[in-house]
Amino acid sequence: MESSAELPMVVSVDDHVIEPAHLFETWLPAKYRDRGPKALRAGIGQLEYIGGKYRISMDPDGPPTDWWIYEDLQFPYKRNIAAVGFDRDEMTLEGITRDEMRRGCWDPKARLEDMENNHVEASLCFPTFPRFCGQTFAEARDKEVALACVRAYNDWMVDEWCGDSGGRLIPLCLIPLWDVELAVAEIQRNAARGVRAVCFSEIPTYLGLPSIHTGYWDPFFAACEATGTVVCMHIGSSSQMPAASPDAPPAVQATLSFNNAMASMTDFLFSGVLVRFPRLKLAYSEGQMGWIPYALERADDVWREHRAWGGVRDLIPEPPSTYYYRQIYACFFRDKHGVASLDTVGVDNVTFETDYPHVDSTWPETKAVALDHVKGLPADVVYKIMRGNAIRMLELDLDRHLKSH
């Protein structure tokens, strides 16, 4: 088939939203507002990076910054997470206010305009203040308020952020990570109003939660399978990024960030979860895909040669790659090695992202970046990886007329 000179409009499965200052004041029930998150503008102190973690404090004499204050947590927004519109050397860890950000970071109408100018039709956005799977609320002491915050965030996400977008902003919701039965209830509540995506931790044990091997999460996975809800796991959703030396610069973590996705995927392939829930869908966000061919080769070799002593002889009846191709989606934005390995990564397993508004974002050059990656590929493959697979994964009401894809 002829390669496509034109690029279909992108469906991005990994972008981010900066929460508006009114979110909890508007959406949290009145009886919880005194104990819920509060938006504040205050000076920021010097940021320290020690042992792979950031330490930051308020400073009345520091640059103005927008914060969230919640229990003992002081959470500032930094330039690297609202980087679009800045020069590359200005995308730092300094504090930032919403006034300094590009408006599309936190305003849905402005976001749609930025998508329109970036060849993006639809976008799935991960949270910022709640962190990538709601760790902020899972770590809170008052779980009654935390549960109300999870629900308030989800209500805002569905009704305000996505509500007037005509389906172009795709809802991605949180669960109360600390209680699997409450998580099931929240999956069902959101699925009833059309939500088909939920945040989850790539490695729950790093958050002090049970592992996927224990069976604890099976009711959650069952609810996701039954409702067609995709389990979306962003790099860093375990509150820990891979590092080498404890005093290595953040660039080491940024380079190794795919390691968590690789570890998580291997965990799932050997867990039995995908055997027990054959229609469950997993999506790895911002993990890229060039590493997947060898990870699958190695997993299948281990299954073939080492399954008896490896503890999976009776747990995993087929080669692990079987479950990957059936149930797992990768995503990329800059990964030419991965594109060159599409036959092994799987043309039906690949999705695309723009990572707006983070430092890595391809905005506003997404079309040029994508075309550079897919040149020479057949048009039907380009369609799949730019939008078709995402539409199928998330059950989006787009392109219903294209029966052949």
Side-chain angles (χ1 to χ4, degrees):
M1 186 178 291
E2 247 179 65
S3 62
S4 174
E6 186 50 47
L7 190 79
M9 289 286 282
V10 168
V11 175
S12 175
V13 301
D14 174 29
D15 295 311
H16 301 266
V17 60
I18 303 296
E19 297 78 18
H22 69 261
L23 193 161
F24 295 101
E25 182 181 338
T26 300
W27 292 94
L28 194 62
K31 66 178 181 178
Y32 297 120
R33 285 179 197 157
D34 285 348
R35 293 178 287 161
K38 295 177 179 60
L40 175 72
R41 182 165 294 178
I44 193 169
Q46 288 291 319
L47 181 142
E48 296 179 299
Y49 181 75
I50 301 172
K53 293 189 178 294
Y54 299 111
R55 296 181 187 174
I56 200 162
S57 60
M58 289 186 182
D59 180 352
D61 299 321
T65 298
D66 280 343
W67 301 72
W68 287 103
I69 308 302
Y70 176 48
E71 292 192 344
D72 297 331
L73 176 65
Q74 297 178 344
F75 182 97
Y77 288 125
K78 303 186 291 295
R79 279 193 179 195
N80 66 320
I81 61 171
V84 291
F86 288 97
D87 292 332
R88 183 62 54 186
D89 289 334
E90 294 177 328
M91 297 178 182
T92 64
L93 294 172
E94 297 172 67
I96 192 172
T97 66
R98 290 180 187 83
D99 296 338
E100 296 171 297
M101 299 175 191
R102 190 167 181 85
R103 191 176 179 89
C105 293
W106 52 269
D107 180 280
K109 291 181 180 177
R111 174 64 66 92
L112 290 171
E113 292 173 6
D114 279 354
M115 289 162 56
E116 194 71 33
N117 294 327
N118 195 37
H119 203 70
V120 176
E121 181 173 2
S123 169
L124 184 80
C125 291
F126 281 83
T128 302
F129 162 64
R131 312 219 299 278
F132 292 149
C133 66
Q135 301 101 301
T136 293
F137 303 125
E139 293 169 1
R141 293 187 302 273
D142 189 330
K143 289 300 192 289
E144 181 183 1
V145 175
L147 178 60
C149 287
V150 167
R151 290 174 173 164
Y153 178 91
N154 291 340
D155 292 343
W156 164 81
M157 165 63 62
V158 173
D159 294 332
E160 183 177 326
W161 179 253
C162 300
D164 293 330
S165 71
R168 296 188 62 193
L169 293 172
I170 307 160
L172 173 61
C173 286
L174 303 175
I175 56 168
L177 288 162
W178 59 93
D179 187 312
V180 71
E181 295 304 328
L182 290 175
V184 167
E186 193 62 12
I187 288 292
Q188 293 169 340
R189 183 177 83 96
N190 292 314
R193 51 183 174 172
V195 177
R196 292 294 178 268
V198 65
C199 303
F200 190 61
S201 175
E202 59 199 354
I203 308 174
T205 54
Y206 286 178
L207 304 180
L209 299 169
S211 85
I212 62 169
H213 302 278
T214 62
Y216 173 82
W217 296 104
D218 279 10
F220 165 70
F221 295 136
C224 290
E225 181 183 57
T227 57
T229 301
V230 182
V231 178
C232 299
M233 293 172 283
H234 196 284
I235 56 167
S237 57
S238 54
S239 298
Q240 186 169 316
M241 294 290 276
S245 306
D247 55 349
V252 173
Q253 286 183 309
T255 302
L256 295 174
S257 59
F258 72 92
N259 280 11
N260 277 4
M262 182 166 60
S264 177
M265 190 182 85
T266 307
D267 226 15
F268 269 99
L269 290 178
F270 285 112
S271 67
V273 168
L274 302 179
V275 179
R276 294 193 297 277
F277 304 103
R279 295 181 307 280
L280 180 67
K281 293 179 282 190
L282 308 181
Y284 284 97
S285 304
E286 209 170 316
Q288 310 297 342
M289 60 183 184
W291 51 270
I292 289 175
Y294 177 69
L296 293 178
E297 179 183 348
R298 179 59 181 163
D300 283 356
D301 281 348
V302 167
W303 178 84
R304 188 177 301 106
E305 306 294 341
H306 306 286
R307 62 179 177 265
W309 73 267
V312 294
R313 181 185 59 199
D314 303 318
L315 185 63
I316 311 299
E318 298 178 74
S321 63
T322 306
Y323 308 102
Y324 165 81
Y325 290 118
R326 188 176 73 186
Q327 296 174 251
I328 297 179
Y329 293 83
C331 113
F332 79 102
F333 50 89
R334 290 189 187 92
D335 188 346
K336 290 187 176 181
H337 183 70
V339 172
S341 307
L342 266 181
D343 285 349
T344 308
V345 176
V347 294
D348 295 316
N349 300 80
V350 174
T351 59
F352 193 71
E353 64 165 285
T354 79
D355 200 30
Y356 182 109
H358 284 187
V359 169
D360 259 326
S361 180
T362 53
W363 185 93
E365 305 296 337
T366 293
K367 184 175 182 180
V369 171
L371 280 172
D372 185 44
H373 278 70
V374 303
K375 59 189 175 186
L377 293 178
D380 62 329
V381 173
V382 175
Y383 168 83
K384 284 183 176 184
I385 66 181
M386 288 293 116
R387 62 185 286 116
N389 292 337
I391 290 170
R392 178 169 50 87
M393 177 180 84
L394 294 163
E395 299 179 16
L396 302 179
D397 191 22
L398 301 172
D399 295 356
R400 295 292 186 191
H401 60 290
L402 298 178
K403 301 295 186 185
S404 61
H405 294 282

